[in-house]
Short mmCIF file of all heavy atoms in Angstrom, two decimals:
data_model
loop_
_atom_site.label_atom_id
_atom_site.label_comp_id
_atom_site.label_asym_id
_atom_site.label_seq_id
_atom_site.Cartn_x
_atom_site.Cartn_y
_atom_site.Cartn_z
N ALA A 1482 55.43 54.28 24.60
CA ALA A 1482 56.83 54.62 24.81
C ALA A 1482 57.64 53.36 25.06
O ALA A 1482 57.11 52.33 25.49
CB ALA A 1482 56.99 55.59 25.99
N TRP A 1483 58.92 53.47 24.77
CA TRP A 1483 59.85 52.40 25.09
C TRP A 1483 60.80 52.89 26.18
O TRP A 1483 61.29 54.03 26.12
CB TRP A 1483 60.65 51.99 23.86
CG TRP A 1483 59.86 51.21 22.86
CD1 TRP A 1483 59.16 51.71 21.79
CD2 TRP A 1483 59.68 49.79 22.82
NE1 TRP A 1483 58.55 50.69 21.10
CE2 TRP A 1483 58.87 49.49 21.71
CE3 TRP A 1483 60.13 48.73 23.61
CZ2 TRP A 1483 58.49 48.19 21.37
CZ3 TRP A 1483 59.75 47.44 23.29
CH2 TRP A 1483 58.94 47.18 22.17
N PHE A 1484 61.07 52.02 27.12
CA PHE A 1484 62.03 52.27 28.18
C PHE A 1484 62.99 51.09 28.23
O PHE A 1484 62.71 50.02 27.68
CB PHE A 1484 61.31 52.41 29.53
CG PHE A 1484 60.38 53.58 29.61
CD1 PHE A 1484 59.06 53.46 29.20
CD2 PHE A 1484 60.82 54.81 30.09
CE1 PHE A 1484 58.19 54.55 29.25
CE2 PHE A 1484 59.96 55.89 30.15
CZ PHE A 1484 58.65 55.76 29.73
N ARG A 1485 64.10 51.29 28.90
CA ARG A 1485 65.05 50.19 29.06
C ARG A 1485 65.72 50.29 30.41
O ARG A 1485 65.86 51.38 30.98
CB ARG A 1485 66.08 50.19 27.94
CG ARG A 1485 67.02 51.38 27.95
CD ARG A 1485 67.94 51.33 26.72
NE ARG A 1485 68.90 52.43 26.72
CZ ARG A 1485 69.77 52.66 25.74
NH1 ARG A 1485 69.79 51.85 24.67
NH2 ARG A 1485 70.61 53.67 25.82
N GLN A 1486 66.14 49.14 30.90
CA GLN A 1486 66.82 49.10 32.18
C GLN A 1486 67.97 48.10 32.11
O GLN A 1486 67.75 46.91 31.87
CB GLN A 1486 65.87 48.72 33.32
CG GLN A 1486 66.51 48.83 34.69
CD GLN A 1486 65.49 48.75 35.81
OE1 GLN A 1486 64.39 48.24 35.64
NE2 GLN A 1486 65.84 49.27 36.98
N ALA A 1487 69.17 48.61 32.32
CA ALA A 1487 70.36 47.78 32.35
C ALA A 1487 70.63 47.36 33.80
O ALA A 1487 70.19 48.05 34.73
CB ALA A 1487 71.54 48.54 31.78
N PRO A 1488 71.35 46.27 34.00
CA PRO A 1488 71.63 45.82 35.37
C PRO A 1488 72.31 46.91 36.19
O PRO A 1488 73.27 47.54 35.74
CB PRO A 1488 72.56 44.63 35.16
CG PRO A 1488 72.22 44.12 33.80
CD PRO A 1488 71.88 45.34 33.00
N GLY A 1489 71.78 47.15 37.37
CA GLY A 1489 72.38 48.13 38.26
C GLY A 1489 72.08 49.57 37.93
O GLY A 1489 72.61 50.48 38.57
N LYS A 1490 71.26 49.79 36.92
CA LYS A 1490 70.93 51.15 36.52
C LYS A 1490 69.43 51.40 36.61
O LYS A 1490 68.64 50.47 36.61
CB LYS A 1490 71.41 51.42 35.09
CG LYS A 1490 72.92 51.37 34.93
CD LYS A 1490 73.33 51.79 33.53
CE LYS A 1490 74.84 51.80 33.38
NZ LYS A 1490 75.25 52.22 32.01
N GLU A 1491 69.08 52.66 36.66
CA GLU A 1491 67.67 53.01 36.67
C GLU A 1491 67.07 52.84 35.27
O GLU A 1491 67.78 52.93 34.27
CB GLU A 1491 67.50 54.46 37.14
CG GLU A 1491 67.88 54.69 38.59
CD GLU A 1491 67.56 56.10 39.05
OE1 GLU A 1491 67.15 56.93 38.22
OE2 GLU A 1491 67.72 56.37 40.25
N ARG A 1492 65.78 52.62 35.27
CA ARG A 1492 65.09 52.52 33.99
C ARG A 1492 65.10 53.89 33.32
O ARG A 1492 64.84 54.92 33.97
CB ARG A 1492 63.67 52.03 34.20
CG ARG A 1492 62.93 51.72 32.92
CD ARG A 1492 61.70 50.88 33.21
NE ARG A 1492 60.80 51.54 34.14
CZ ARG A 1492 59.76 50.94 34.72
NH1 ARG A 1492 59.50 49.67 34.46
NH2 ARG A 1492 58.98 51.61 35.54
N GLU A 1493 65.39 53.91 32.03
CA GLU A 1493 65.47 55.17 31.31
C GLU A 1493 64.59 55.12 30.06
O GLU A 1493 64.32 54.06 29.50
CB GLU A 1493 66.91 55.47 30.90
CG GLU A 1493 67.50 54.48 29.94
CD GLU A 1493 68.92 54.85 29.51
OE1 GLU A 1493 69.45 55.86 29.97
OE2 GLU A 1493 69.47 54.09 28.68
N GLY A 1494 64.17 56.29 29.63
CA GLY A 1494 63.35 56.38 28.45
C GLY A 1494 64.15 56.25 27.18
O GLY A 1494 65.30 56.71 27.10
N VAL A 1495 63.56 55.61 26.20
CA VAL A 1495 64.18 55.45 24.89
C VAL A 1495 63.50 56.36 23.87
O VAL A 1495 64.15 57.09 23.13
CB VAL A 1495 64.09 53.98 24.43
CG1 VAL A 1495 64.55 53.83 22.99
CG2 VAL A 1495 64.89 53.09 25.38
N GLY A 1496 62.19 56.31 23.84
CA GLY A 1496 61.45 57.15 22.90
C GLY A 1496 59.96 56.90 23.02
O GLY A 1496 59.53 55.99 23.72
N CYS A 1497 59.19 57.72 22.33
CA CYS A 1497 57.74 57.55 22.35
C CYS A 1497 57.16 57.88 20.98
O CYS A 1497 57.82 58.49 20.13
CB CYS A 1497 57.09 58.42 23.43
SG CYS A 1497 57.35 60.20 23.24
N ILE A 1498 55.90 57.47 20.81
CA ILE A 1498 55.20 57.72 19.56
C ILE A 1498 53.78 58.14 19.88
O ILE A 1498 53.15 57.61 20.80
CB ILE A 1498 55.24 56.48 18.63
CG1 ILE A 1498 54.68 56.81 17.25
CG2 ILE A 1498 54.53 55.29 19.26
CD1 ILE A 1498 55.00 55.75 16.20
N SER A 1499 53.29 59.11 19.12
CA SER A 1499 51.95 59.62 19.35
C SER A 1499 50.89 58.61 18.91
O SER A 1499 51.19 57.58 18.31
CB SER A 1499 51.75 60.93 18.58
OG SER A 1499 51.84 60.69 17.18
N ARG A 1500 49.64 58.93 19.21
CA ARG A 1500 48.55 58.01 18.91
C ARG A 1500 48.42 57.70 17.42
O ARG A 1500 48.13 56.56 17.04
CB ARG A 1500 47.23 58.59 19.44
CG ARG A 1500 47.14 58.57 20.95
CD ARG A 1500 46.00 59.43 21.47
NE ARG A 1500 45.94 59.40 22.93
CZ ARG A 1500 46.77 60.09 23.71
NH1 ARG A 1500 47.69 60.87 23.18
NH2 ARG A 1500 46.66 59.99 25.02
N THR A 1501 48.63 58.68 16.60
CA THR A 1501 48.51 58.46 15.15
C THR A 1501 49.82 58.00 14.52
O THR A 1501 49.84 57.58 13.36
CB THR A 1501 48.07 59.74 14.45
OG1 THR A 1501 49.08 60.73 14.63
CG2 THR A 1501 46.74 60.24 15.03
N GLY A 1502 50.90 58.12 15.27
CA GLY A 1502 52.20 57.81 14.71
C GLY A 1502 52.87 58.99 14.03
O GLY A 1502 53.97 58.87 13.51
N GLY A 1503 52.20 60.12 14.06
CA GLY A 1503 52.73 61.27 13.35
C GLY A 1503 53.84 62.01 14.08
O GLY A 1503 54.54 62.83 13.49
N ARG A 1504 53.99 61.71 15.35
CA ARG A 1504 55.04 62.37 16.13
C ARG A 1504 55.80 61.33 16.93
O ARG A 1504 55.22 60.43 17.53
CB ARG A 1504 54.44 63.39 17.08
CG ARG A 1504 55.45 63.99 18.06
CD ARG A 1504 54.81 65.04 18.95
NE ARG A 1504 54.43 66.23 18.22
CZ ARG A 1504 53.91 67.31 18.78
NH1 ARG A 1504 53.71 67.35 20.09
NH2 ARG A 1504 53.59 68.35 18.06
N THR A 1505 57.10 61.48 16.92
CA THR A 1505 57.97 60.63 17.73
C THR A 1505 58.98 61.51 18.45
O THR A 1505 59.27 62.64 18.02
CB THR A 1505 58.73 59.60 16.89
OG1 THR A 1505 59.44 60.27 15.83
CG2 THR A 1505 57.79 58.57 16.28
N PHE A 1506 59.49 60.99 19.53
CA PHE A 1506 60.55 61.66 20.27
C PHE A 1506 61.51 60.61 20.77
O PHE A 1506 61.10 59.53 21.20
CB PHE A 1506 59.97 62.46 21.44
CG PHE A 1506 61.05 63.08 22.28
CD1 PHE A 1506 61.67 64.25 21.88
CD2 PHE A 1506 61.47 62.48 23.46
CE1 PHE A 1506 62.68 64.81 22.64
CE2 PHE A 1506 62.47 63.03 24.23
CZ PHE A 1506 63.08 64.19 23.82
N TYR A 1507 62.82 60.92 20.72
CA TYR A 1507 63.84 59.96 21.11
C TYR A 1507 64.80 60.57 22.12
O TYR A 1507 65.12 61.75 22.06
CB TYR A 1507 64.63 59.51 19.88
CG TYR A 1507 63.77 58.85 18.84
CD1 TYR A 1507 63.27 59.58 17.77
CD2 TYR A 1507 63.43 57.50 18.93
CE1 TYR A 1507 62.46 59.00 16.81
CE2 TYR A 1507 62.62 56.91 17.98
CZ TYR A 1507 62.14 57.66 16.92
OH TYR A 1507 61.34 57.08 15.98
N ALA A 1508 65.26 59.74 23.01
CA ALA A 1508 66.32 60.14 23.91
C ALA A 1508 67.61 60.36 23.12
O ALA A 1508 67.82 59.72 22.08
CB ALA A 1508 66.54 59.08 24.98
N GLY A 1509 68.45 61.24 23.63
CA GLY A 1509 69.66 61.58 22.91
C GLY A 1509 70.57 60.40 22.62
O GLY A 1509 71.23 60.36 21.57
N ALA A 1510 70.60 59.44 23.53
CA ALA A 1510 71.51 58.30 23.37
C ALA A 1510 71.14 57.40 22.20
O ALA A 1510 72.00 56.65 21.71
CB ALA A 1510 71.52 57.48 24.66
#
């Protein structure tokens, strides 16, 4: 998974990928 953290903000999720790469999920932003 990828996460990101901007200054002064909590770390938030960006997206993830399954073990085979066959499934991904993304945050709405």
Side-chain angles (χ1 to χ4, degrees):
W1483 287 92
F1484 297 87
R1485 66 184 183 184
Q1486 187 168 22
K1490 295 186 178 180
E1491 294 186 353
R1492 188 164 58 191
E1493 64 177 1
V1495 172
C1497 61
I1498 188 166
S1499 64
R1500 289 166 180 77
T1501 64
R1504 173 178 291 184
T1505 54
F1506 176 80
Y1507 300 96

